[in-house]
DNA sequence: TCTAGGATCGGCT
DNA sequence: GCCGATCCTAGAT
């Protein structure tokens, strides 16, 4: 499962004047046409979701509620992507704080998809970016930090209550809080 | 062209 | 814990 493998990887953003690195701690999988919670449900191929049908490793960025950006990683499966929901800041903390604003507490810096995108300075302009390209300003790194079995919890997805049966599918992976203390 | 609703966030009680 | 902001997208007409 691609989504589970993304937990523990590092997201690097060199957008703006400062580099930011974030350890991925929380993801959700969206499984394409057969998944009612997914933007490509029913085989939709609109302009917005075009990147979801692209090659694996591309970014799919969309605007939600007209004001928040959400960053997804395309898996390469038909219409499939993985939403990056949260993480932990490894470096570039000052840049993240300045982007998130002075009122944001440290624990609230990247604990949500909209916040994470803001911390990385990722916007709709970066839709379709190749996250596996070493020269890309936003990319995914796999380091030698291994996620041990049992450190990841699998739960139902958040905020998709209207998706019928798909709402109860356990497609969310979260790094156990106890396992993140050493990060 | 119109309209309803959304993979959220942050402020307020 | 609750609720309003805010605007783009997609489907309906």
């Amino acid at each position: 499962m691609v989504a589970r493998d993304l937990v523990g990887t590092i997201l690097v953003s060199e957008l703006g004047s400062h580099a930011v690195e974030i350890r991925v701690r929380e993801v959700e999988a969206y499984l394409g046409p057969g998944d009612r919670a997914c933007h490509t449900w029913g085989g939709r191929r609109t302009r917005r979701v075009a990147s979801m049908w692209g090659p694996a490793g591309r970014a799919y960025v969309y605007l939600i509620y007209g004001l928040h950006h959400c960053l997804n990683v395309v898996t390469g499966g038909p219409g499939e992507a993985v939403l990056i929901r949260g993480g932990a800041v490894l470096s570039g903390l000052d840049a993240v704080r300045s982007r998130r604003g002075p009122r944001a507490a440290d624990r609230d810096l990247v604990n949500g998809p909209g916040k994470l995108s803001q911390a990385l300075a990722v916007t709709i302009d970066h839709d379709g970016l190749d996250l596996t390209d070493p020269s890309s300003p936003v990319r995914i790194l796999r380091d030698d930090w291994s996620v041990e079995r049992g450190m990841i919890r699998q739960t139902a997805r958040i905020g998709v209550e209207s998706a019928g049966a798909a709402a109860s599918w356990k497609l969310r992976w979260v790094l156990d809080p106890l396992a993140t203390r050493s990060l």
Side-chain angles (χ1 to χ4, degrees):
Chain A
M1 178 64 76
V2 177
R4 188 205 169 283
D5 291 343
L6 280 170
V7 177
T9 58
I10 298 176
L11 268 173
V12 180
S13 166
E14 290 171 351
L15 300 168
S17 52
H18 295 88
V20 171
E21 291 183 336
I22 290 178
R23 175 86 68 188
V24 175
R25 285 178 43 184
E26 184 180 347
V27 302
E28 283 180 4
Y30 288 85
L31 300 184
D35 179 0
R36 199 169 151 189
C38 185
H39 288 169
T40 53
W41 178 64
R44 283 203 298 249
R45 297 183 79 117
T46 58
R47 207 170 132 188
R48 177 173 70 143
V49 302
S51 345
M52 287 187 82
W53 296 92
R58 297 300 176 93
Y60 166 52
V61 184
Y62 68 95
L63 196 59
I64 184 68
Y65 298 111
L67 59 162
H68 302 296
H69 296 282
C70 294
L71 172 64
N72 299 248
V73 180
V74 176
T75 67
E80 292 184 19
V82 176
L83 171 68
I84 310 295
R85 285 193 64 90
V89 179
L90 295 181
S91 69
L93 191 56
D94 289 343
V96 171
R97 284 198 181 117
S98 71
R99 284 168 186 163
R100 294 280 297 112
R103 307 183 71 136
D106 277 7
R107 55 168 296 178
D108 293 329
L109 287 177
V110 287
N111 61 341
K115 301 174 188 178
L116 188 116
S117 303
Q118 191 179 9
L120 292 171
V122 167
T123 69
I124 198 91
D125 292 337
H126 307 110
D127 183 49
L129 210 62
D130 187 354
L131 300 174
T132 62
D133 182 353
S135 65
S136 168
V138 183
R139 56 191 183 272
I140 294 174
L141 301 180
R142 294 180 187 275
D143 63 3
D144 56 3
W145 188 85
S146 62
V147 179
E148 292 174 23
R149 187 180 295 277
M151 288 170 68
I152 297 178
R153 284 186 286 180
Q154 195 172 352
T155 74
R157 292 175 291 186
I158 305 292
V160 294
E161 291 82 4
S162 59
S168 59
W169 295 352
K170 295 200 169 181
L171 293 174
R172 174 172 174 253
W173 286 264
V174 190
L175 206 53
D176 193 292
L178 291 174
T180 64
R181 286 194 184 158
S182 59
L183 292 179

